Each structure stands twice: as structure tokens, then as C-alpha cells.
Amino acid sequence: MKVKGAFIYTLKTGENALILLADNKIEQDKLYQHLAVDAYQFKKEIVAEEPRIVLISAGYKNENNEITWNREYIPVPKWYDLN
């Protein structure tokens, strides 16, 4: 599972989500599952490097070159919870 790119998406609430892009829908689903279950260290590193990111998700570019992603965002730990 490779990450092909990433971007920051600002939700209507003002929260920032980091969207990681995979090759296709199947890889997106695998990446999302990994982020939801197994990626605690990665989420800690995101918070340490970019504290304005509060959510993450996975997406991909479809055949029409449009980016789509899972709107069920995964929270990252708060920086103050890491101390």
C-alpha cells in the first residue's frame, strides 16, 4: 500500500483533515483501515509536525481524475494528550 500524494482539506467546521491518496479504491480502503486501526505512531508524528491537523482520511483519484475520499474522518491525538 503506497501513498501517492496528500492534501489538507478544511471542513465547514474549520477543522483541518489530512487526506492521503492511494492508487485506487481498493488501496484506499486498505489505507483507511490501516489508519483507523494500526497507525497510532503515524498519527502521533502528524500531530507533532503539524498540530493544526486534527483528522485524517484516505482517498484516491478516480477514472475521471477527480479526487474522492472517505468522509468518515479519523481523529488524531491532541498534542496535549501526548505529554
Side-chain angles (χ1 to χ4, degrees):
M1 153 179 46
K2 291 183 182 179
V3 174
K4 302 297 272 188
F7 68 95
I8 295 174
Y9 177 75
T10 303
L11 283 69
K12 291 179 183 178
T13 62
E15 296 173 305
N16 290 315
L18 176 65
I19 311 301
L20 303 175
L21 300 175
D23 278 332
N24 54 49
K25 175 69 172 146
I26 292 170
E27 291 298 312
Q28 175 209 349
D29 291 340
K30 289 179 186 177
L31 179 57
Y32 182 87
Q33 182 66 22
H34 177 70
L35 292 170
V37 176
D38 297 325
Y40 185 74
Q41 182 62 34
F42 173 75
K43 291 184 263 190
K44 281 176 51 178
E45 291 172 11
I46 292 292
V47 170
E49 293 295 320
E50 189 54 67
R52 65 189 182 115
I53 301 295
V54 297
L55 303 163
I56 56 174
S57 190
Y60 70 102
K61 261 188 195 176
N62 65 22
E63 59 278 350
N64 297 323
N65 211 27
E66 300 167 331
I67 296 175
T68 184
W69 65 91
N70 190 322
R71 308 285 187 189
E72 293 183 28
Y73 299 101
I74 302 162
V76 296
K78 305 288 188 236
W79 64 268
Y80 48 80
D81 289 338
L82 300 176
N83 296 326

